[in-house]
């Protein structure tokens, strides 16, 4: 079983609509959670950290459910520029420095 | 945020040869990493590049195949040795910076081994 699992998509979303997707993680002791965004043929870039109480950054809302071991990302009022692959990232409690474990990504395609 | 550059950005190599990838960060960082990402796959950590000591390799990766140097706090190299077509991938340098130890990535090196 993979440490971090994501629905690969693609999620085809009309411009202006809302899209949400989840990511599950297998290690209940995982400590930190992030969403990264990766555009085609580009490097991953941090989109937002995910806090226990949930957090919002503009049109993006992230939630953490420790009991069910998943995190979610919701994008409101989708823009064409939101088309990308969204990587779920979890830090494993194996080392003091918190190794990042990446999911394979969820592809989002926003259409006009 | 840290600005990370990598050289070369891409290369096509013959099997059996070696390629050294350079990674430069615009500020001093404690932790630098090397990842590999194959098409449609997630990022896989190859090793942590430690300044002044040997790199720490993840399971499945060995120093003889992927020697790493870290001569100072802003620079690291990864060598892909004795390449085979299975080494064709994107190799990404990464570093942590800032009060929250945010992890940033370089633009990647696209390697194709024939």
């Amino acid at each position: 079983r993979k440490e971090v699992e994501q629905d690969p998509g693609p999620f085809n979303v009309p411009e202006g609509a809302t899209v949400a997707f989840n990511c599950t993680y297998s290690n209940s002791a995982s400590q930190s959670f992030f969403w990264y965004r990766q555009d085609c043929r580009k490097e991953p870039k941090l989109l937002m950290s995910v806090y226990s109480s949930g957090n919002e950054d503009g049109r993006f809302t992230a939630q953490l459910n420790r009991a069910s071991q998943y995190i979610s990302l919701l994008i409101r009022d989708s823009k064409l520029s939101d088309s990308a692959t969204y990587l779920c990232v979890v830090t494993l409690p194996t080392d003091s420095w918190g190794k990042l474990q990446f999911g394979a990504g969820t592809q989002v395609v926003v259409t006009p | 945020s840290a600005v990370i550059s990598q050289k070369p950005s891409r290369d096509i190599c013959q099997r059996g040869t070696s390629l050294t990838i350079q990674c430069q960060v615009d500020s001093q960082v404690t932790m630098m990493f090397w990842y590999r990402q194959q098409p449609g796959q997630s990022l896989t950590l190859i090793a942590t590049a430690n300044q002044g000591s040997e790199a720490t390799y993840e399971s499945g990766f060995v120093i003889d195949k992927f020697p790493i140097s870290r001569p100072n706090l802003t620079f690291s190299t990864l060598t892909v040795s004795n390449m085979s077509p299975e080494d064709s991938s994107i190799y990404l340098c990464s570093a942590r910076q800032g009060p929250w130890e945010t992890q940033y990535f370089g633009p990647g090196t696209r390697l194709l081994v024939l």
Side-chain angles (χ1 to χ4, degrees):
Chain A
R1 184 183 173 187
K2 293 180 183 177
E3 294 276 358
V4 181
E5 296 211 51
Q6 296 184 248
D7 182 340
F11 285 69
N12 294 299
V13 186
E15 194 174 7
T18 295
V19 61
F21 42 90
N22 294 340
C23 154
T24 58
Y25 59 94
S26 61
N27 192 325
S28 60
S30 297
Q31 295 174 327
S32 303
F33 308 88
F34 309 90
W35 284 104
Y36 274 71
R37 171 194 170 128
Q38 187 171 28
D39 293 293
C40 186
R41 304 179 73 80
K42 299 282 190 182
E43 74 273 22
K45 293 184 179 177
L46 179 66
L47 178 66
M48 59 196 300
S49 302
V50 186
Y51 303 123
S52 296
S53 55
N55 49 299
E56 193 173 299
D57 183 1
R59 298 180 293 106
F60 298 85
T61 301
Q63 297 278 355
L64 167 63
N65 186 318
R66 283 194 182 270
S68 301
Q69 294 182 208
Y70 73 86
I71 66 173
S72 64
L73 181 67
L74 182 146
I75 308 173
R76 286 186 302 279
D77 187 22
S78 298
K79 311 292 184 190
L80 296 177
S81 57
D82 294 334
S83 298
T85 297
Y86 291 84
L87 304 173
C88 173
V89 184
V90 172
T91 61
L92 302 179
T94 52
D95 308 282
S96 59
W97 54 271
K99 183 171 77 172
L100 299 187
Q101 189 73 39
F102 286 79
T106 295
Q107 186 182 10
V108 172
V109 179
V110 182
T111 56
Chain B
S1 62
V3 177
I4 303 175
S5 59
Q6 286 183 234
K7 288 195 297 187
S9 59
R10 61 180 67 236
D11 209 339
I12 301 173
C13 301
Q14 297 295 324
R15 69 173 67 206
T17 63
S18 298
L19 176 72
T20 295
I21 303 168
Q22 298 180 7
C23 176
Q24 180 75 54
V25 187
D26 67 340
S27 58
Q28 293 186 344
V29 292
T30 305
M31 306 198 75
M32 293 182 73
F33 309 90
W34 287 97
Y35 287 82
R36 183 169 74 182
Q37 186 177 29
Q38 293 175 313
Q41 312 247 334
S42 61
L43 278 75
T44 300
L45 180 63
I46 297 171
T48 303
N50 302 308
Q51 195 267 328
S53 64
E54 207 167 87
T56 305
Y57 289 84
E58 297 298 306
S59 176
F61 298 96
V62 295
I63 188 171
D64 289 345
K65 175 68 176 177
F66 298 100
I68 287 170
S69 78
R70 177 95 191 266
N72 56 51
L73 292 175
T74 64
F75 186 79
S76 178
T77 67
L78 168 75
T79 299
V80 186
S81 303
N82 188 25
M83 288 184 283
S84 66
E86 291 71 37
D87 295 321
S88 298
S89 188
I90 300 171
Y91 292 86
L92 293 141
C93 174
S94 180
R96 291 194 178 179
Q97 191 191 55
W100 309 112
E101 288 291 289
T102 302
Q103 194 153 335
Y104 299 95
F105 288 84
T109 296
R110 284 169 174 73
L111 173 61
L112 175 63
V113 184
L114 303 177

